[in-house]
Amino acid sequence: MSLDPPAYILSLQNNIRARPISWDGAVRAKTITDDDLKKIKAIDKVRKEQRKQVIEGDVDTYTQLLLGGGEVKSIFESAAKRPDILQYMLVLAEDLVDDIPPLMKSLISHPEPFKHLLPLLKQSPNPEDPIPLLASALLSTLLGNAIQASSKSTPQIDDALPKVYAYIAQLSKQSDTNLQDIACQEYSVLLRTTKSRSLFWKQRKETLDPLIDVLRTAVGGRDTDSTLANGSGGASSIRSTESNFKIGGSVSLQLLYHILLVIWQLSFEGKLVGRGLDEDHDIVPLYTTLVRLSPKEKTTRLLLGTLQNLLSTNQKTLLPAATAARLPSILQNLKTRHLTDQDLQEDLEKLTTLLDEYTSSRTTLETYTAELDSGHLRWSPPHKNAEFWGANASEIISMENGAYLNKLAAILSKDWASDKQVLAIGCNDVANLVKQCPEKRSQLERAGLKARVMTLMQDENESVRWESLRAVGEWLRYTFDS
């Protein structure tokens, strides 16, 4: 999928192209050689066809100009103390690799294609400094092509890619949406192979997390649906934030699209990333909300494509999350729209079929135990359904010799710092189990549930404190009654 270059970068490049450079002064100062200058003048400020003809007639010479070789220094090494020349040559090099495929092929075949460009990423701590920005654009182009051209990774790619990801990640953390958009587009150029996607995932704390934060900003925060009166236990529910979601306001449509594109590319490694996206980011409820609020078919297409990739490869873990997030009903509503994108229609049909097969084969109890099996609780309908607990509490306690009590205890034993609602839901479930089966309190206590909910009464999150108080209250009520 080809993207237009970021407008911010295009504007910067045009500005630099228009600046005069004292080439003769650079030769007199021995910053560059006469030979360097002749090569540059042969291709600078000339028609594209003439430039292409000159370079294709001497590809090795121009590869050596840019990357060095033998006794010859790279122009980026020679001009290290001349920011004006560095900027100009970074722009010129980007033009050349975009327009002349034989030069691109020669550059990525060089023994050290990234050696003299990587240090430019550290030229300045200022994220708006032109040299690191232009260097990252050129490196992303070169690396993206090198990754695709090589059937297996090389030491040069293995060394360069983490460093480029780390620089791009710093751009994505800036408040300037232009810089965030540049980061997304450069990620997209790189995420073309399993190797590059796997490394992106390995560095996910710095690469992925800032992008998810932007999506959460777009939908108003993490979902919560506690039984706490008036829902005041933490972040507001994503099901009530549609009025706060303004494309073109805090999150532009362009930035939204490019973030979704990056995560869609990552989702092709569904088996690798699915569980982590669920545990760290509650990805299915987030994407379900984004589907409901999606302003354009192109964003909806990426959302459904990502969900299809993730759900089809993580059915045991993510299908319970999809039903809890009410994704099936969102998809049914989507089917009533007049959709023209064929890929979108195909993914919509695949997802609907996958979810229909899952839900039609599950009882309510099986839906609940599947959530426990997944290790991640959500406010799905069974949790607050009194009839469900009246009919199934005893069976849940006794199933497989208490295995599901132990699974609930294991879920509650975790910190869940980034998703406190899991703890609130678990405490809600304990309260219902005690209420419906007071005679089995000792089994719950042996599983460690009583001690844990008592500890959670001191939790910093209001919803967790409320739900744990309810659970302890049920225990005390039956203790006093007995």
Side-chain angles (χ1 to χ4, degrees):
M1 188 177 295
S2 179
L3 297 173
D4 293 330
Y8 186 93
I9 290 289
L10 284 176
S11 175
L12 178 61
Q13 290 172 335
N14 288 334
N15 183 283
I16 290 169
R17 288 187 192 100
R19 297 174 190 171
I21 300 291
S22 176
W23 294 112
D24 292 332
V27 172
R28 287 194 298 272
K30 297 185 179 180
T31 300
I32 62 173
T33 65
D34 272 320
D35 195 35
D36 290 336
L37 182 56
K38 288 176 184 176
K39 295 171 191 172
I40 293 168
K41 286 194 170 181
I43 58 172
D44 187 34
K45 304 285 195 298
V46 299
R47 291 180 292 107
K48 279 188 177 183
E49 283 305 315
Q50 182 179 341
R51 174 188 288 171
K52 185 176 180 182
Q53 187 176 1
V54 170
I55 291 178
E56 287 183 346
D58 200 357
V59 170
D60 290 343
T61 293
Y62 282 93
T63 300
Q64 196 174 57
L65 172 70
L66 296 175
L67 300 182
E71 298 297 317
V72 179
K73 284 186 174 182
S74 159
I75 190 71
F76 300 111
E77 184 181 10
S78 301
K81 295 183 179 180
R82 283 287 301 271
D84 57 335
I85 294 179
L86 284 178
Q87 292 176 31
Y88 198 88
M89 290 307 301
L90 285 167
V91 172
L92 181 59
E94 184 76 30
D95 291 341
L96 298 179
V97 297
D98 286 342
D99 296 337
I100 306 168
L103 178 63
M104 170 68 82
K105 184 176 180 181
S106 178
L107 290 172
I108 62 177
S109 301
H110 189 277
E112 297 178 307
F114 318 115
K115 177 181 177 181
H116 299 296
L117 294 170
L118 286 170
L120 300 181
L121 297 178
K122 298 181 178 180
Q123 185 87 359
S124 167
N126 179 4
E128 296 183 7
D129 188 286
I131 290 176
L133 277 176
L134 295 168
S136 73
L138 180 56
L139 277 164
S140 297
T141 302
L142 292 174
L143 269 168
N145 281 272
I147 289 166
Q148 283 191 299
S150 178
S151 58
K152 57 183 180 180
S153 193
T154 67
Q156 292 76 25
I157 292 174
D158 290 344
D159 174 65
L161 192 53
K163 295 174 182 177
V164 174
Y165 276 154
Y167 173 78
I168 298 173
Q170 292 304 311
L171 296 182
S172 73
K173 295 173 185 175
Q174 303 302 314
S175 58
D176 188 328
T177 57
N178 287 312
L179 298 179
Q180 292 174 328
D181 198 50
I182 290 169
C184 291
Q185 294 208 44
E186 291 182 3
Y187 279 146
S188 187
V189 169
L190 296 170
L191 292 172
R192 294 176 174 176
T193 66
T194 291
K195 171 70 177 179
S196 60
R197 292 189 288 262
S198 299
L199 183 57
F200 180 92
W201 179 248
K202 185 177 180 181
Q203 294 178 237
R204 60 188 177 276
K205 290 298 179 186
E206 56 181 340
T207 57
L208 179 64
D209 286 10
L211 306 186
I212 297 291
D213 288 343
V214 175
L215 295 183
R216 290 216 173 278
T217 297
V219 300
R222 187 178 290 277
D223 184 26
T224 184
D225 200 6
S226 172
T227 58
L228 178 60
N230 301 320
S232 58
S236 59
S237 170
I238 57 178
R239 288 187 289 279
S240 63
T241 58
E242 188 161 3
S243 62
N244 298 325
F245 185 61
K246 295 183 176 66
I247 297 297
S250 60
V251 180
S252 70
L253 177 59
Q254 175 173 290
L255 179 58
L256 175 68
Y257 177 78
H258 289 152
I259 290 175
L260 295 178
L261 177 62
V262 169
I263 299 174
W264 172 72
Q265 290 174 276
L266 180 65
S267 72
F268 282 92
E269 308 307 319
K271 288 185 178 179
L272 172 67
V273 308
R275 190 175 188 97
L277 284 171
D278 174 53
E279 292 180 352
D280 295 342
H281 301 296
D282 222 6
I283 194 72
V284 175
L286 173 61
Y287 262 54
T288 300
T289 301
L290 285 165
V291 170
R292 182 170 61 81
L293 302 177
S294 178
K296 298 286 185 180
E297 283 196 12
K298 67 178 186 178
T299 51
T300 305
R301 178 181 67 239
L302 290 174
L303 288 162
L304 294 193
T306 302
L307 285 169
Q308 169 62 23
N309 289 343
L310 295 176
L311 266 61
S312 62
T313 52
N314 299 272
Q315 295 189 22
K316 184 175 180 180
T317 306
L318 296 188
L319 286 177
T323 54
R326 302 173 179 86
L327 179 59
S329 63
I330 298 293
L331 297 181
Q332 289 302 322
N333 289 338
L334 192 57
K335 279 190 166 186
T336 64
R337 301 183 194 174
H338 177 64
L339 303 173
T340 58
D341 187 288
Q342 187 173 350
D343 290 337
L344 190 163
Q345 292 172 348
E346 289 177 2
D347 282 331
L348 177 58
E349 194 59 42
K350 289 177 184 176
L351 272 173
T352 302
T353 301
L354 181 64
L355 286 162
D356 283 348
E357 290 176 353
Y358 174 77
T359 54
S360 65
S361 65
R362 291 287 192 279
T363 64
T364 308
L365 178 59
E366 287 172 331
T367 300
Y368 176 75
T369 55
E371 256 193 79
L372 290 176
D373 287 333
S374 76
H376 196 151
L377 302 178
R378 298 164 178 85
W379 283 115
S380 54
H383 294 286
K384 295 189 292 182
N385 187 321
E387 292 182 2
F388 167 79
W389 291 108
N392 297 292
S394 180
E395 187 172 355
I396 291 168
I397 293 172
S398 60
M399 281 177 75
E400 299 181 17
N401 295 318
Y404 283 95
L405 279 187
N406 292 331
K407 290 181 181 182
L408 179 57
I411 292 169
L412 280 172
S413 68
K414 297 180 181 179
D415 181 67
W416 295 102
S418 63
D419 193 5
K420 287 288 188 178
Q421 72 164 349
V422 175
L423 296 176
I425 297 166
C427 291
N428 167 83
D429 293 0
V430 173
N432 281 296
L433 291 171
V434 176
K435 181 178 181 179
Q436 297 296 332
C437 303
E439 72 283 1
K440 296 185 178 181
R441 283 170 293 160
S442 59
Q443 289 177 249
L444 276 69
E445 191 166 347
R446 285 197 297 273
L449 290 168
K450 181 179 181 181
R452 181 54 174 157
V453 295
M454 291 183 72
T455 300
L456 290 173
M457 290 174 66
Q458 307 301 318
D459 194 88
E460 62 184 15
N461 182 275
E462 188 179 2
S463 290
V464 176
R465 293 198 304 271
W466 169 259
E467 300 294 352
S468 61
L469 180 62
R470 284 183 58 232
V472 173
E474 290 295 340
W475 235 299
L476 293 175
R477 178 161 72 92
Y478 287 107
T479 300
F480 292 145
D481 288 349
S482 61

